[in-house]
Amino acid sequence: MTKDIWLNLPVKDIQKTTDFFERIGFTLNNHAPKSDAMASFKIGQRDFIINFFSEEVFSSFTPFKIADLNDKTECLISIDAESATEVDEILAKAEAAGADIYAKGGEKDGWMYGGGFTDLDGHKWNVLFMDFSKFKQ
């Protein structure tokens, strides 16, 4: 069976990406190399790894073109927050760091609170707090 899973994303500028994600509270992964071509972060209590690679390096991993994310998305990366307040805090930090907020924090279906932002390279992020005790079966 597999040992781990991580996400690799292409970015235009490693330093700007590093600054952005440090400002919203992600932890730099000190077990991975940091260079002009790569930055790695640990996210969440389980230390999910997201590696950001320069577009040039990322392109060497696959024969496929990097998607133009200006008005599209390749996936929705979700962050599980501990409260509605934390959702709003993360969105505020992301906006202050230069993100576009595409959905302000708000309640949905009586048990979920969330919002979303687009990072500096167009990747879409969803921040959610889910109170399953209020989920209607």
Side-chain angles (χ1 to χ4, degrees):
M1 191 50 149
T2 60
K3 297 186 316 180
D4 286 309
I5 185 170
W6 60 89
L7 177 63
N8 297 323
L9 294 174
V11 297
K12 292 178 181 18
D13 186 308
I14 292 294
Q15 190 56 55
K16 285 182 180 178
T17 297
T18 300
D19 293 345
F20 176 85
F21 284 102
E22 284 182 325
R23 286 182 68 188
I24 65 170
F26 289 9
T27 303
L28 207 53
N29 178 9
N30 293 323
H31 298 319
K34 164 88 175 60
S35 69
D36 292 339
M38 177 192 181
S40 180
F41 285 86
K42 292 181 177 181
I43 300 169
Q45 295 173 351
R46 295 186 185 140
D47 289 339
F48 182 79
I49 302 294
I50 296 186
N51 297 315
F52 297 98
F53 290 95
S54 67
E55 289 181 342
E56 180 181 354
V57 171
F58 187 89
S59 293
S60 72
F61 300 155
T62 175
F64 304 106
K65 292 180 183 176
I66 293 173
D68 174 2
L69 301 178
N70 287 324
D71 62 348
K72 300 171 189 67
T73 189
E74 79 280 38
C75 66
L76 182 59
I77 307 160
S78 295
I79 300 169
D80 185 21
E82 293 195 35
S83 66
T85 300
E86 186 180 33
V87 169
D88 291 336
E89 289 170 355
I90 292 171
L91 292 174
K93 287 177 186 177
E95 186 171 35
D100 290 323
I101 304 300
Y102 66 81
K104 292 188 185 265
E107 190 169 316
K108 183 175 189 302
D109 300 330
W111 66 278
M112 188 176 354
Y113 184 92
F117 66 90
T118 301
D119 71 21
L120 304 177
D121 288 279
H123 306 290
K124 311 310 186 274
W125 298 77
N126 189 24
V127 186
L128 298 169
F129 168 65
M130 297 172 283
D131 184 348
F132 290 106
S133 70
K134 295 179 180 176
F135 182 75
K136 295 181 178 137
Q137 297 284 335

